[in-house]
Amino acid sequence: MTLREIAAVKTARYAVVGPEDGPADRVWVACHGYGQLVPYFARHFRGAGRPRQLVVLPEALSRFYLDEPGTGARRVGASWMTREAREADIADTTRYLDDVFVAACARADADPQTVALSGFGFSQGTATVVRWLDQSPVLARRSRRTDRLVLWGGGLPHDFDAAGAPWLAQTPVTLVAGDRDGFATPARVMEQEARLEAAGVPHATRTFPGEHRLNDRVLREVMHEG
């Protein structure tokens, strides 16, 4: 058997929250978590931003069915990648997020090379947004790849060399997790803090009473900082 690859065209969707008709002076690119869909994820960002701040929320390219425990019902979620053909998925996602960012900037009368850019990831989306910031050819042409990075309920990819990414050392990072988060446990948050500290990355940590989910009050506070 010979296994081959071919590039395919796929229709993807993204949500925007804020002044899409521009002019926007800051753009957030926010990546959702595993098993989520963007229409539901985007609801948290309504009212969380500031004037002239656009939030762009891409949806992961792979949708699948999820069983609802105890109900027999099935809902649809999306995933950014799996361990299967991961390098191809990462490359596809990088190109996709570049396209979304450029298209959103064009609609919002913002220059993708100069507009203030903040990256946001929740859960699985934290690794996705970090990989995009690190590997994007579009962002590589900016004077700063991003002005700010928020990692909520997750952290840097396990195989990411933080010390070998000069752009990250120039980027303030905010780690956010609920105090009962079963994924971003206190031990894992401390591990992320140690990685950032070792790489000389300016960072802060925010916690709130809750589990592995967004908190609207803290989200609003985080998006109004900086």
Side-chain angles (χ1 to χ4, degrees):
M1 181 187 75
T2 302
L3 189 63
R4 303 189 184 279
E5 292 183 341
I6 187 170
V9 176
K10 179 177 176 61
T11 300
R13 62 184 184 177
Y14 64 97
V16 291
V17 177
E20 190 178 16
D21 56 350
D25 59 14
R26 177 176 294 274
V27 175
W28 286 77
V29 174
C31 296
H32 63 76
Y34 175 82
Q36 295 182 316
L37 291 178
V38 74
Y40 304 98
F41 184 64
R43 293 183 301 178
H44 292 279
F45 292 82
R46 295 174 183 168
R50 300 180 304 194
R52 301 183 65 187
Q53 179 171 269
L54 182 70
V55 185
V56 182
L57 304 109
E59 186 172 87
L61 296 175
S62 299
R63 298 189 193 98
F64 60 98
Y65 286 109
L66 286 162
D67 293 329
E68 294 283 5
T71 68
R74 306 179 79 192
R75 67 176 179 87
V76 177
S79 172
W80 291 104
M81 61 172 289
T82 65
R83 64 175 178 268
E84 186 73 16
R86 67 189 301 275
E87 295 304 323
D89 281 350
I90 291 171
D92 288 345
T93 297
T94 298
R95 287 190 293 271
Y96 163 51
L97 295 182
D98 274 350
D99 289 347
V100 170
F101 175 57
V102 170
C105 284
R107 286 180 174 272
D109 191 24
D111 185 343
Q113 295 304 307
T114 59
V115 69
L117 171 63
S118 295
F120 183 103
F122 171 71
S123 193
Q124 188 192 43
T126 60
T128 298
V129 75
V130 171
R131 289 191 176 105
W132 173 57
L133 292 169
D134 187 62
Q135 299 181 19
S136 162
V138 170
L139 302 186
R141 297 194 293 267
R142 292 168 51 93
S143 60
R144 292 183 65 177
R145 287 179 183 253
T146 184
D147 300 280
R148 189 157 177 239
L149 178 59
V150 177
L151 304 177
W152 191 309
L156 303 171
H158 66 87
D159 55 353
F160 176 71
D161 180 11
W167 65 268
L168 186 61
Q170 304 172 3
T171 304
V173 176
T174 302
L175 302 172
V176 186
D179 60 5
R180 300 190 304 278
D181 193 318
F183 295 92
T185 62
R188 288 175 178 168
V189 172
M190 290 177 62
E191 178 185 347
Q192 292 296 317
E193 291 173 328
R195 289 182 66 185
L196 295 169
E197 187 72 29
V201 179
H203 61 280
T205 301
R206 296 282 301 270
T207 60
F208 62 92
E211 300 178 349
H212 189 65
R213 56 173 58 96
L214 295 179
N215 176 284
D216 291 345
R217 175 186 59 80
V218 176
L219 178 62
R220 183 170 57 254
E221 292 172 357
V222 165
M223 293 188 67
H224 279 256
E225 295 171 353

